[in-house]
Amino acid sequence: MQLPADLFTAITVTPDDLWPRLVAADWFEEQGDADRATFIRLQCRLATLCPYSPEATLGRLEEREWLRRLGHRWRLPLPNDWGQTFRRGFVEDVQLPAAAFLSEWRALLAMTPLRGVVLTQVAGRLSAVLECDGLAACRSLELENAGLDALALARLGLCPQLESLRELRLIRQGLGSAAMEQLARGSVFCQLESLDLHGNPLNDIGARALAQSHAFPHLRSLRLSQAGEVDYLYSIRSAGAAALAIGWHFEHLRELNLSGQFIGDSGLAFLARSQSLAGLELLNIADNDVGAIGTTGIEALADDAFSRLRVLILAGNPLGDLAIRELMRWPGIPNLRYLDLSRCSIGSSVRAILDAPWSPECVIDLRHNRFRDEWRIPLQERFADRLLLEERHLPVPLR
């Protein structure tokens, strides 16, 4: 069912405004499509919620069910191997080959309020992509199989078509410190809010280049995570964490993901004492050797750090019982909405977890620990359905 032209134009001209989308929901309902109207209102409501709240969790489950049942009716008539992502009721992101984007971007803009693209098979076409007028309409960009190097990153950072970009994802591109230094010199990223560099062989030099850059004054989310086996020489260690801790443009940062690195206890201590990172709401330092040589990092965290933190992910760190007891005296415990302590060698410190002043909304993940079975019933009584002890879907989106 095609929206009236004036209503579609209102959505595309003011893409951040929810009001035209809600008007569109009313229009669909008047046309007899109550399901589509309900879905648009649901996604618009989710866009206004804290992503870690129980209401948002239930909303995402409802959203998934709508898409499972009726998503095929609402998707765009595009090739089956092109990905489509709904946001705020409409397809906003499309995954497609770079060559197809170069030829079809006008048609896409005529069909949907396009906000982002994931471009595949970019190698050999990067110059054409960066010169494409269609790129200027995108607020989110991900490049796959792009064959990026330091020179390509330099060109990316000077591309005028990206001046309105809000989110940039360069995942598993083999980018090292030299490429980061070029990216950090970019002059077009003044509106960028999210930078995802997951799976690149960054080290302390690369982290320092990002931390000292003036290119990202409004960054809210930074993902520098690794997955799988990581070469220690190509990882972020305590010196890189120290550089990030004093990054002068990080006062707007709300999410920091360093999972799979090697920052250790000293790295966590640097982060916890940082004034620049005091506004963090999500910190992911899973699998970072925190606790391997003591409790220094957790002690620094417990010293009234990160008062605004809502999500803390410590999974896979060898914390042990002494560190867990230290963590439970952290004044930020009542503010948490999600704490991941899976694979943390927790044993007798379960009593400290039970006695901590938790929020009634906080979900706690204690999977794959070594405490005795007799603690299961007290834990279930304390946390009810907010306790994760068995394998199942996590209730919050973890970036």
Side-chain angles (χ1 to χ4, degrees), residues 17 72 85 102 135 141 149 192 203 238 243 246 284 311 324 327 359 397:
D17 190 352
H72 63 282
T85 302
L102 293 172
L135 208 58
L141 173 64
D149 55 15
L192 201 68
N203 55 20
S238 61
I246 59 175
N284 186 341
V311 174
I324 294 299
L327 179 64
S359 161

Side-chain angles (χ1 to χ4, degrees), residues 172-220:
R172 291 185 289 274
Q173 294 287 330
L175 303 175
S177 57
M180 286 306 99
E181 290 171 343
Q182 291 297 328
L183 184 68
R185 295 190 182 105
S187 61
V188 300
F189 298 129
C190 58
Q191 300 298 322
L192 201 68
E193 297 179 358
S194 176
L195 178 59
D196 189 342
L197 297 169
H198 170 73
N200 288 291
L202 303 180
N203 55 20
D204 291 340
I205 298 173
R208 187 179 302 113
L210 292 173
Q212 295 178 351
S213 171
H214 292 279
F216 316 105
H218 298 293
L219 204 62
R220 296 179 60 85

Side-chain angles (χ1 to χ4, degrees), residues 113-157:
L114 187 69
R115 298 276 285 167
V117 291
V118 178
L119 299 182
T120 63
Q121 305 170 28
V122 180
R125 297 183 177 88
L126 183 63
S127 296
V129 167
L130 295 181
E131 294 172 1
C132 178
D133 291 339
L135 208 58
C138 297
R139 299 296 176 266
S140 172
L141 173 64
E142 179 175 342
L143 301 177
E144 292 186 357
N145 307 317
L148 299 179
D149 55 15
L151 179 60
L153 268 271
R155 296 179 59 197
L156 196 71

Side-chain angles (χ1 to χ4, degrees), residues 77-358:
L78 300 176
N80 291 333
D81 57 344
W82 293 14
Q84 303 183 41
T85 302
F86 284 87
R87 302 188 195 281
R88 297 174 298 172
F90 297 85
V91 173
E92 286 197 355
D93 295 351
V94 176
Q95 180 181 23
L96 72 167
F101 176 73
L102 293 172
S103 62
E104 302 294 336
W105 65 268
R106 291 181 180 85
L108 287 172
L109 290 175
M111 283 192 285
T112 193
L114 187 69
R115 298 276 285 167
V117 291
V118 178
L119 299 182
T120 63
Q121 305 170 28
V122 180
R125 297 183 177 88
L126 183 63
S127 296
V129 167
L130 295 181
E131 294 172 1
C132 178
D133 291 339
L135 208 58
C138 297
R139 299 296 176 266
S140 172
L141 173 64
E142 179 175 342
L143 301 177
E144 292 186 357
N145 307 317
L148 299 179
D149 55 15
L151 179 60
L153 268 271
R155 296 179 59 197
L156 196 71
L158 297 174
C159 175
Q161 309 285 26
L162 300 180
E163 289 181 347
S164 298
L165 200 66
R166 304 283 184 81
E167 182 176 356
L168 176 62
R169 298 187 297 276
L170 304 172
I171 300 172
R172 291 185 289 274
Q173 294 287 330
L175 303 175
S177 57
M180 286 306 99
E181 290 171 343
Q182 291 297 328
L183 184 68
R185 295 190 182 105
S187 61
V188 300
F189 298 129
C190 58
Q191 300 298 322
L192 201 68
E193 297 179 358
S194 176
L195 178 59
D196 189 342
L197 297 169
H198 170 73
N200 288 291
L202 303 180
N203 55 20
D204 291 340
I205 298 173
R208 187 179 302 113
L210 292 173
Q212 295 178 351
S213 171
H214 292 279
F216 316 105
H218 298 293
L219 204 62
R220 296 179 60 85
S221 176
L222 179 60
R223 186 185 186 196
L224 304 176
S225 53
Q226 291 280 12
E229 294 294 327
V230 180
D231 190 326
Y232 181 80
L233 296 177
Y234 296 101
S235 65
I236 297 175
R237 303 183 289 278
S238 61
L244 294 171
I246 59 175
W248 48 68
H249 63 279
F250 286 159
E251 65 271 14
H252 300 294
L253 203 65
R254 296 296 175 263
E255 299 182 2
L256 177 61
N257 188 332
L258 293 170
S259 65
Q261 302 288 357
F262 287 93
I263 68 169
D265 291 277
S266 57
L268 175 55
F270 284 125
L271 298 178
R273 293 167 181 148
S274 168
Q275 294 299 313
S276 300
L277 300 177
L280 282 183
E281 297 176 1
L282 182 152
L283 177 62
N284 186 341
I285 50 172
D287 299 298
N288 261 273
D289 276 358
V290 174
I293 59 173
T295 61
T296 305
I298 297 298
E299 288 171 356
L301 178 64
D303 191 19
D304 204 14
F306 295 133
S307 61
R308 297 181 60 178
L309 212 61
R310 297 295 178 269
V311 174
L312 177 59
I313 303 171
L314 292 164
N317 288 296
L319 298 181
D321 289 319
L322 183 59
I324 294 299
R325 293 189 183 96
E326 285 290 327
L327 179 64
M328 292 305 109
R329 69 177 184 84
W330 174 40
I333 288 290
N335 301 325
L336 287 180
R337 297 297 178 267
Y338 181 80
L339 175 64
D340 190 344
L341 294 174
S342 60
R343 301 181 289 116
C344 283
S345 303
I346 299 174
S348 61
S349 58
V350 175
R351 170 53 62 189
I353 295 174
L354 289 169
D355 293 340
W358 300 99

Side-chain angles (χ1 to χ4, degrees), residues 57 61 64 338 363-365 367-368 383-396 398:
T57 299
L61 293 175
R64 182 183 303 172
Y338 181 80
V363 174
I364 182 168
D365 189 341
R367 295 175 299 169
H368 305 297
F383 296 102
D385 59 353
R386 296 177 292 110
L387 174 69
L388 299 180
L389 284 177
E390 309 296 338
E391 291 297 331
R392 71 176 193 180
H393 174 68
L394 295 183
V396 296
L398 304 179

